[in-house]
Amino acid sequence: MKDCIFCKIVNKEIPSKIIYEDEHALAFLDIEPVNVGHTLVVPKKHFETIDKMDKEEYDKLSEAILKISKGIMCLADGLNVMQNNKEIAGQAVPHVHFHLIPRYNDDGYRFDWKKDEDVTEKENNEFLEKIKSFLK
Ligand code: AMP
Ligand code: ZN
């Protein structure tokens, strides 16, 4: 897609530190790594968010994520896999990407997902009922 920075990386129009490439996926180092080896894995085809992907493309991307995860786990003590959709969820680049963040013992990071108010059981039960109708 024109004007998409990750499409430009996929098309080698702008440079990146590529760590893995196959027919469907590209993986490169994040330009602002939160830890050594912070990697982004993207589908070569442009999808804005994960729900726009078709199964075949997602399966191919998953294969690359699994392969790279196995490699990272040979070099690191742990691994966070994260993927953001839409601005509210922290997505800055609207081209699907998975963050693979190697973790090292005593690296000093904490992932704190606490929000101001706890989720109530009622809210969770309502979600449970609604989501089922979309997953049949
Ligand atoms: P997100 O907030 O999930 O959309 O993550 C976007 C990520 O893309 C951030 O971690 C950025 O540091 C990274 N990023 C943006 N531009 C580039 C680039 N040209 N090369 C590598 N990583 C990039
Ligand atoms: Zn794109």
Side-chain angles (χ1 to χ4, degrees):
M1 191 197 204
K2 204 172 157 288
D3 296 334
C4 169
I5 191 157
F6 287 175
C7 282
K8 285 181 182 165
I9 287 177
V10 165
N11 295 326
K12 317 277 168 65
E13 290 166 32
I14 60 172
S16 68
K17 292 187 192 298
I18 294 173
I19 71 160
Y20 175 78
E21 178 169 18
D22 62 30
E23 197 187 335
H24 299 272
L26 185 75
F28 49 93
L29 294 182
D30 196 293
I31 205 166
E32 288 184 61
V34 302
N35 223 352
V36 176
H38 180 174
T39 296
L40 300 176
V41 190
V42 307
K44 286 192 167 175
K45 198 170 156 189
H46 181 92
F47 298 97
E48 189 176 328
T49 49
I50 195 168
D51 53 302
K52 300 286 191 286
M53 294 186 76
D54 49 64
K55 185 180 180 310
E56 193 188 349
E57 285 291 337
Y58 184 77
D59 286 347
K60 296 291 180 191
L61 187 62
S62 295
E63 280 176 28
I65 291 167
L66 183 59
K67 189 182 186 93
I68 298 158
S69 296
K70 287 175 185 284
I72 288 176
M73 287 299 283
C74 294
L75 298 173
D77 302 307
L79 171 67
N80 287 110
V81 180
M82 298 195 334
Q83 197 267 325
N84 303 325
N85 298 281
K86 297 285 189 186
E87 205 177 335
I88 184 66
Q91 184 179 21
V93 178
H95 179 132
V96 166
H97 50 283
F98 279 76
H99 295 257
L100 271 53
I101 303 174
R103 301 300 304 275
Y104 306 98
N105 291 337
D106 303 321
D107 61 16
Y109 281 103
R110 277 198 319 262
F111 282 88
D112 186 353
W113 287 91
K114 273 230 160 295
K115 68 188 195 108
D116 292 343
E117 288 172 28
D118 288 341
V119 175
T120 65
E121 196 175 343
K122 181 170 176 284
E123 287 173 318
N124 243 356
N125 286 339
E126 281 168 6
F127 178 86
L128 186 67
E129 283 314 307
K130 280 190 254 174
I131 191 66
K132 284 178 184 171
S133 65
F134 294 103
L135 304 179
K136 280 176 181 156

